[in-house]
Amino acid sequence: MSPSVLQVTPPMRVTVTGNDYIYQGWLAGLVIKQSGAIRYVVEDDCGRLFIHNTSQLGKQEGWVP
């Protein structure tokens, strides 16, 4: 089974918090890993894409917008 990618339309604004950083970006998509874990694709204001887990978005595991 390969990972599934789901697009979020329209993209929603989210805040990402890590150990030493915080930024706001746009939730552009979700990736469901082979293990079933969900990862979130976030685009920052410079157009770069980053992949985050639920805790970095301040959400509960399994959160789907």
Side-chain angles (χ1 to χ4, degrees), residues 15-62:
T15 299
V16 179
T17 304
N19 291 333
D20 59 351
Y21 61 87
I22 185 168
Y23 74 93
Q24 293 220 335
W26 296 98
L27 180 61
L30 289 89
V31 177
I32 302 171
K33 296 174 55 172
Q34 291 183 37
S35 68
I38 299 174
R39 295 297 180 261
Y40 305 88
V41 180
V42 177
E43 182 176 352
D44 72 3
D45 290 334
C46 295
R48 297 174 294 191
L49 297 174
F50 297 94
I51 299 173
H52 295 287
N53 61 37
T54 51
S55 65
Q56 292 168 308
L57 298 181
K59 306 294 185 187
Q60 295 289 339
E61 187 65 39

